Amino acid sequence: MDLARTEVGKGAPRARNPRGSAARLALMAVPVAFFAVFFAYPVAAIVARGLEVDGVWQFGRIGDVLAQSDVRHVLWFTTWQALASTALTLLIALPGAYVFARFDFPGKQVLRAVVTVPFVLPTVVVGTAFLALVGRGGLLDELWGVRLDTTVWAILLAHVFFNYAVVVRTVGGLWAQLDPRQEEAARMLGASRPRAWRQVTLPALAPAVAAAALMVFLFTFTSFGVVQILGGPAFSTLEVEIYRQTSQVFDLSTAAVLTLIQFVAVAAVLAVHAWTVRRRESALRLVDAATTARRPRGTGQWALLAAVLGTVALLLVLPLAVLVQRSFGAPGLGYYRALTSADGGTFLVPPIEAIGNSLQYAVAATAIAVVIGGLAAAALTRRDAGRFVRGFDALLMLPLGVSAVTVGFGFLIALDEPPLDLRSSWILVPLAQALVGVPFVVRTMLPVLRAVDGRLREAAAVLGASPWRVWREVDLPMVRRALLVAAGFAFAVSLGEFGATVFIARPDNPTLPVAVARLLGRPGDMNYGQAMALSTILMLVCAVALVVLERLRTDRSGEF
């Protein structure tokens, strides 16, 4: 054993291993190539198509577009509604985070799964559920004659519905691991309960709250499906406006400028998010979450639990229940039976075929995302990675914030000639869906991979094992459950991807979200009812995937 290995055992700084660095670069090669070809190239192609004229880049076009009053209105509304959605989500979800972190009550695991269901639902289903609740002929319209569709309140409430779980999971997960004795000590020294919480607990939670807020802001800033369905012509985010400029107005120049603006904004948000996460990981001492939860005590705590349960019932469960109820509105399951016929003229094939198409696409996208994301997570496992590797980590998150509409339209523009003429190939849809699934795979597997004792890998390498064999015999057995969870997340998000798929799904092979959007875009009660039926089916498929994930996460027989 050489000197470097001996000093590692004594606690000295770890020497750089050239063989390990080479192995890391080899692992990164495939994900880098994948993102270069299927993300950077299509986005660059559509931006170049919009800003380049006769080989000359027209950067002055950026100022021209920003000078337009309607574009400035879109930018203002996109930012305003994202800030308002974030503030409203924190206001409503933080009590829920506390309840899940500190209270132990019957049905807690089931309720946790119910809370998480909206987050894995496609945005098209979220928009459709709220349309059934607050739109024309919806529940509020029938009971009190109140309609909130095409209003900003419908958009804000739908965003809270979608992102409630982000706050509960992110803040509640950390809150459950904070030692409650620190706050109790402050109260024994004379601090009131509000002051103890403000001066002890809140500073510890601040990084998690900031991280959750930034993620909610990112998701709402790039909102497409919810605003497209609920906003009507009066409200448009950057994502919706990019879609309108590319598919309806055919103004690629304006779309390219809006894409660049969104790219810069998202990159800034991701940079702040990465800093917040690193601060959260390094600044806190945590305890076992199982030791901090207890049954509610006193009238106040029981009232808080009841208030949170009521919020979950009204805000999360009611829209989905109304969606299901509307899908059974026709006698004899008429809306569901209509899905087996193409006589309505909306599709070239019966809408029911969208179910099989979506499942096939999602399986293929999951396989791609697991391979690419698994290789990327393995490359990022070492905490002593340099700036280049950390930059690669940030790159993996960009598809969550960059316009999916731009990516989908970029596929049609860039991948249209040999050797990458894929416009008529079925693989185009899974490739676009996999781009969204990879970040979830990486974020699910990376913490578990980093928890593996590095000395086990070193021992295997000393005994002559190749990097591939070390991964197969050391890492894989320990992260198998995390790999299954990552695959489940990738499957759920691939199943619901809409922004890119709406451009590249062929008319004879629609996916479920595309089929729902097309049905909602046509007048008539039958089309509306079929949209509700398809949304219900999509919701059930996503819910089943989530139940499987929860069983894997709460299985106490393993490491995860």
Side-chain angles (χ1 to χ4, degrees), residues 81 123 175 206 258 346:
Q81 64 83 27
T123 55
W175 210 334
L258 296 179
T346 306

Side-chain angles (χ1 to χ4, degrees), residues 153-383:
W153 281 108
I155 296 173
L156 296 181
L157 290 175
H159 284 161
V160 175
F161 170 90
F162 185 77
N163 293 293
Y164 187 92
V166 175
V167 177
V168 169
R169 291 280 187 169
T170 304
V171 180
L174 179 61
W175 210 334
Q177 293 179 279
L178 293 180
D179 192 343
R181 291 174 296 183
Q182 297 178 358
E183 187 173 330
E184 293 171 0
R187 296 196 63 198
M188 291 181 63
L189 293 175
S192 63
R193 184 183 295 274
R195 184 180 179 185
W197 184 86
R198 187 176 66 253
Q199 295 187 348
V200 177
T201 303
L202 183 59
L205 287 177
V209 174
L214 284 168
M215 290 304 295
V216 174
F217 180 85
L218 176 66
F219 290 138
T220 53
F221 187 82
T222 58
S223 181
F224 177 57
V226 168
V227 180
Q228 178 79 352
I229 292 175
L230 295 176
F235 300 105
S236 179
T237 58
L238 274 173
E239 190 86 356
V240 174
E241 187 63 19
I242 292 171
Y243 173 75
R244 190 180 74 87
Q245 293 291 337
T246 52
S247 64
Q248 299 176 12
V249 183
F250 303 108
D251 185 353
L252 291 185
S253 179
T254 299
V257 172
L258 296 179
T259 297
L260 290 176
I261 294 172
Q262 183 167 312
F263 181 85
V264 171
V266 167
V269 171
L270 290 177
V272 175
H273 176 258
W275 174 82
T276 305
V277 169
R278 285 197 298 270
R279 180 183 172 190
R280 182 187 64 186
E281 289 178 343
S282 60
L284 299 175
R285 291 184 178 181
L286 307 178
V287 298
D288 184 1
T291 65
T292 63
R294 53 180 173 75
R295 292 186 66 83
R297 300 173 183 173
T299 305
Q301 292 188 356
W302 280 107
L304 177 61
L305 176 60
V308 169
L309 293 177
T311 300
V312 170
L314 291 176
L315 183 64
L316 306 185
V317 177
L318 181 61
L320 299 180
V322 173
L323 173 67
V324 174
Q325 184 269 332
R326 288 292 187 271
S327 72
F328 290 100
L333 301 178
Y335 294 145
Y336 288 91
R337 287 190 291 107
L339 296 177
T340 62
S341 173
D343 294 339
T346 306
F347 301 97
L348 299 178
V349 296
I352 197 70
E353 293 191 12
I355 301 174
N357 296 336
S358 287
L359 292 175
Q360 293 173 16
Y361 288 145
V363 169
T366 300
I368 297 171
V370 166
V371 172
I372 300 298
L375 291 174
L380 295 168
T381 298
R382 291 283 295 274
R383 291 184 179 271

